[in-house]
Structure formats: structure tokens, C-alpha cells
């Protein structure tokens, strides 16, 4: 039986321990080395404990080498402690008059900051925060929201299908249906969370974050929607920022509108960022479609409401002047330190 593996193992431990003892600057460093190699669960202690598992002819030889190494490390540690005490410089002595070392504080990820800011805004307006499943049924993700079977959004190029009737949710809008199906108006909820779509470039990622909002009651009008979203936009960006509601189409709202803000880069003059239009799209909204209300057995002659969807990444990119959405997910400390 070859003794080479045992020799190699002990030589490696000897080399490592010697290097760490030599580099130790304080008694605390030395104590750490002692614990790592000679402590109850240290490398040498475990090696000695496991000698019983070696072949019989190798046990005496391995035991002697290990005990010799143990003695050598102990002597090196004692010598190093003596050296440090004699040196008595700033590296080993403590000056209690010096200011303590401050730990760097972490911060919320920019996406989390935007999500939190929006959630707090709506919570103060009395909106309840709801969370739901990220794996969603076709019914909640599409059918109940007035997406017909042949709608382009159902295409596998746009949606991650798990099975014929299960998808990774493409928006948090299914929480509209889940909320309305289990309660009667008035309803005032927001649904933040991750959503998934088959898209990836400098402005899109396969996974991103959305906050969906819903308000249902008697006498809710488009003016209520405009008022609340205007407050939201000015809270996030600037109280004097210009915005507009531009007619659009969504299957689950009618009428529908995109909300645009004055380009944060060129201030409406026109640039590459806004395609020289002076405006940037930031969210979609509209009055809840009567078909959606009928799907949850609401009386459409009595109740109406509005819904909207905000993309957290989109808001963060504009707010913090970020040109590539993928930077949010690189875990680059230099990038994240900016926030």
C-alpha cells in the first residue's frame, strides 16, 4: 500500500499552516490558525481521528507523521505569539482612543427600491397588497382577462408554457381575477411580483417585475385613473414632470391608454432615447373591460373600475439613467454601489 497520499496530505497541511502563521499580524489571526488546524474540529485533529480508517500497516507511520506535524505547528504558533508580543506595534496593540472601524452598510437593489416606493405610495391610498402564484393557469392568465384563444400573446414565442394549461405568468394581472372572484366591491388592490416573457435584449429580460393595480366600485371614472397615476408619476420622478395619456389597446381594458412622460434625457426636445419624439412610455392602463367583470359575476350596470400595470425595471432605467436592463442582474458591486 503506497504511503504517498498520506505524505502529500500532511505536507500540504504543513505548507498551508506555515504560510498562515507567517502572515499572521495579530494574536486573533494566530488563534484562528490554531482553531483551523489544532482545534477540536481542526484539520490535524480530524486527520488523527480518522487514522483508524487507514490500512493497518499504514496507521503507525501516519500517526507519527501527524503527531510530529502537530508538535511543529504548536511550536510555530507559540513562537509567532512571542514575536508579536515583543513587537508590540500598532498591528497587535489596541488604541482605545481610535475611532472604531465602520462596517459598510448595504442597500436595497434599485429594482427593490422602485418596487417599495410604488407599494408605499399605493398603501397610503388604501390599496391592499396581494401576492399570487408565478405558475399560473391559462384561465387566470388569459381567458378570464378577455384574451381570446387566438390572441398573439398566447403564442409560445411570447409565453413560457409549462403545459397546455399552465404558463409562467406573463403579467400580475391574474391577481385581478383572483381578487374579484373572492370578494365583492369595493376593491382596491395592487399585485407586485415577478413575471416572465420570451424576450431578451437591452430593454427586455425573460424575467422582470411588475406591479398591477385594480380599483372597482360604483361611479369609478377615467378621471380617477388619471388623477391617481398622475400623482404616482410625479411622486416617482418630479412634481413638475409633464405626462400624457395616449389611446392604446389592451384586451382587459376599454378604453385603454399608455402613459407617457416627458423624456428625462432631453426634456422633450427629442433625442435618441425617445426616438426624437420627446416622450417615453412608462405604463399601461385603462377602464376594466365589461367582459372581465362579467367573468367574475359583477353587475356591469352598477360597478366599474380601472386597472394599470407598471414595469419596475422600466421605471428604474428612466429614474436612474440606466441604458441596459441587464445591468440590474450582473451583481456588479461597482454598479450597485451607485444606489
Amino acid at each position: 500500500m503506497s504511503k504517498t497520499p498520506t505524505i502529500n496530505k500532511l505536507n500540504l497541511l504543513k505548507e498551508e499552516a506555515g504560510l498562515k502563521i507567517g502572515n499572521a499580524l495579530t494574536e486573533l489571526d494566530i488563534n484562528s490558525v490554531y482553531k483551523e488546524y489544532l482545534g477540536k474540529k481542526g484539520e490535524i485533529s480530524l486527520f488523527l481521528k480518522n487514522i483508524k480508517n487507514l490500512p493497518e500497516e499504514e496507521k503507525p507511520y501516519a500517526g507519527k507523521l501527524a503527531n510530529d506535524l502537530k508538535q511543529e505547528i504548536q511550536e510555530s504558533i507559540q513562537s509567532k505569539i512571542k514575536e508579536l508580543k515583543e513587537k508590540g506595534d500598532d498591528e497587535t496593540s489596541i488604541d482605545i482612543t481610535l475611532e472604531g472601524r465602520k462596517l459598510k452598510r448595504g442597500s436595497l437593489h434599485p429594482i427593490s427600491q422602485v418596487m417599495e416606493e410604488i407599494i408605499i405610495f399605493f398603501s397610503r391610498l388604501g390599496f391592499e397588497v396581494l401576492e399570487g402564484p408565478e405558475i399560473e393557469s391559462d384561465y387566470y392568465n388569459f381567458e378570464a382577462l378577455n384574451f381570446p384563444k387566438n390572441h398573439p400573446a398566447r403564442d409560445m414565442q411570447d409565453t413560457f408554457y409549462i403545459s397546455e394549461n399552465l404558463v409562467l405568468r406573463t403579467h400580475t394581472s391574474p391577481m385581478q381575477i383572483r381578487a374579484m372572484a373572492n370578494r365583492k366591491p369595493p376593491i382596491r388592490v395592487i399585485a407586485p411580483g415577478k413575471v416572465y416573457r420570451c424576450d431578451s435584449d437591452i430593454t427586455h429580460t425573460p424575467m422582470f417585475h411588475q406591479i398591477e393595480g385594480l380599483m372597482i366600485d360604483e361611479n369609478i371614472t377615467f378621471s380617477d385613473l388619471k388623477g391617481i397615476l398622475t400623482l404616482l408619476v410625479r411622486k416617482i420622478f418630479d412634481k413638475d414632470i409633464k405626462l400624457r395619456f395616449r389611446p392604446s389597446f389592451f384586451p382587459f381594458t376599454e378604453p385603454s391608454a399608455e402613459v407617457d412622460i416627458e423624456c428625462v434625457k432631453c426634456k422633450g426636445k427629442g433625442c435618441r432615447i425617445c426616438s426624437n419624439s420627446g416622450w417615453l412610455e412608462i405604463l399601461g392602463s385603462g377602464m376594466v373591460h365589461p367582459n372581465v367583470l362579467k367573468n367574475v359575476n359583477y353587475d356591469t350596470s352598477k360597478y366599474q373600475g380601472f386597472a394599470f400595470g407598471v414595469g419596475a425595471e422600466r421605471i428604474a432605467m428612466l429614474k436612474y439613467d440606466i441604458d441596459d436592463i441587464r445591468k440590474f442582474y450582473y451583481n456588479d458591486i461597482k454598479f450597485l454601489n451607485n444606489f
Side-chain angles (χ1 to χ4, degrees):
M1 179 68 67
S2 173
K3 299 175 182 178
T4 301
T6 300
I7 295 173
N8 289 343
K9 171 70 173 176
L10 292 173
N11 283 340
L12 182 61
L13 292 176
K14 179 180 179 179
E15 183 179 339
E16 288 178 351
L19 186 62
K20 291 179 180 179
I21 293 171
N23 291 334
L25 298 176
T26 67
E27 288 190 47
L28 186 62
D29 293 338
I30 287 294
N31 289 334
S32 178
V33 176
Y34 180 91
K35 183 177 180 181
E36 183 177 352
Y37 291 94
L38 304 181
K40 190 174 182 180
K41 295 184 179 179
E43 294 282 355
I44 303 299
S45 301
L46 291 177
F47 184 90
L48 287 167
K49 184 178 180 180
N50 292 322
I51 283 179
K52 61 184 179 182
N53 299 322
L54 294 174
E56 287 297 327
E57 67 274 13
E58 196 173 336
K59 288 179 182 178
Y61 174 79
K64 182 179 185 310
L65 285 181
N67 279 306
D68 288 347
L69 178 56
K70 179 179 179 181
Q71 181 66 30
E72 184 177 338
I73 293 176
Q74 285 176 332
E75 291 174 356
S76 295
I77 286 176
Q78 291 301 319
S79 176
K80 187 67 176 183
I81 291 175
K82 183 179 179 181
E83 176 190 328
L84 292 174
K85 285 182 176 179
E86 290 175 351
K87 189 175 182 181
D89 58 16
D90 291 338
E91 293 176 342
T92 57
S93 59
I94 299 176
D95 184 350
I96 61 174
T97 65
L98 293 176
E99 185 178 353
R101 292 173 181 164
K102 294 180 180 180
L103 296 175
K104 290 185 178 180
R105 295 184 62 185
S107 63
L108 288 176
H109 190 280
I111 299 300
S112 298
Q113 290 184 37
V114 168
M115 295 278 282
E116 186 174 87
E117 185 176 4
I118 295 174
I119 289 171
I120 290 174
F121 172 84
F122 282 104
S123 295
R124 289 174 176 170
L125 295 181
F127 282 71
E128 178 185 355
V129 180
L130 299 180
E131 294 184 348
E134 294 176 23
I135 296 178
E136 193 58 273
S137 70
D138 180 272
Y139 174 79
Y140 284 112
N141 198 77
F142 292 126
E143 188 174 341
L145 288 166
N146 202 38
F147 283 84
K149 289 290 184 182
N150 60 350
H151 193 280
R154 289 172 175 255
D155 193 285
M156 293 187 70
Q157 300 304 314
D158 299 307
T159 305
F160 290 102
Y161 274 85
I162 296 174
S163 67
E164 185 177 352
N165 293 310
L166 286 177
V167 301
L168 290 180
R169 65 182 180 186
T170 58
H171 44 190
T172 55
S173 303
M175 290 307 298
Q176 287 187 33
I177 304 301
R178 291 183 177 276
M180 291 189 288
N182 295 312
R183 61 185 81 182
K184 296 298 181 184
I187 291 177
R188 196 179 298 185
V189 298
I190 57 171
K194 298 184 183 73
V195 296
Y196 306 85
R197 296 180 190 174
C198 297
D199 207 350
S200 182
D201 53 41
I202 63 171
T203 58
H204 300 86
T205 53
M207 183 280 291
F208 57 101
H209 298 78
Q210 186 183 63
I211 298 180
E212 180 83 16
L214 173 70
M215 187 173 184
I216 303 290
D217 203 350
E218 299 180 40
N219 302 315
I220 298 294
T221 68
F222 198 88
S223 294
D224 298 310
L225 170 65
K226 289 183 67 176
I228 287 178
L229 293 185
T230 298
L231 283 175
L232 171 66
V233 170
R234 289 178 175 167
K235 175 68 172 63
I236 293 174
F237 293 101
D238 183 88
K239 63 183 180 65
D240 296 320
I241 196 167
K242 295 179 182 179
L243 68 156
R244 69 181 184 184
F245 287 75
R246 176 170 45 83
S248 187
F249 169 78
F250 303 108
F252 42 90
T253 54
E254 180 60 40
S256 304
E258 299 277 6
V259 178
D260 300 335
I261 62 170
E262 181 182 68
C263 180
V264 294
K265 197 73 173 178
C266 66
K267 304 302 180 183
K269 296 178 181 178
C271 65
R272 180 182 62 84
I273 303 299
C274 62
S275 300
N276 293 313
S277 68
W279 295 94
L280 294 168
E281 172 195 330
I282 59 168
L283 64 93
S285 64
M287 301 301 291
V288 178
H289 199 291
N291 288 349
V292 175
L293 297 178
K294 290 176 183 177
N295 286 335
V296 292
N297 298 315
Y298 279 11
D299 184 351
T300 56
S301 65
K302 183 179 181 181
Y303 297 114
Q304 53 277 325
F306 62 75
F308 58 88
V310 183
E313 281 82 352
R314 176 67 170 165
I315 297 295
M317 289 179 72
L318 296 176
K319 184 171 184 176
Y320 300 124
D321 192 22
I322 296 168
D323 59 2
D324 190 333
I325 194 173
R326 293 167 294 192
K327 290 181 179 179
F328 289 128
Y329 303 107
Y330 287 156
N331 292 326
D332 184 343
I333 295 299
K334 290 183 179 178
F335 171 77
L336 295 176
N337 280 340
N338 294 322
F339 309 96

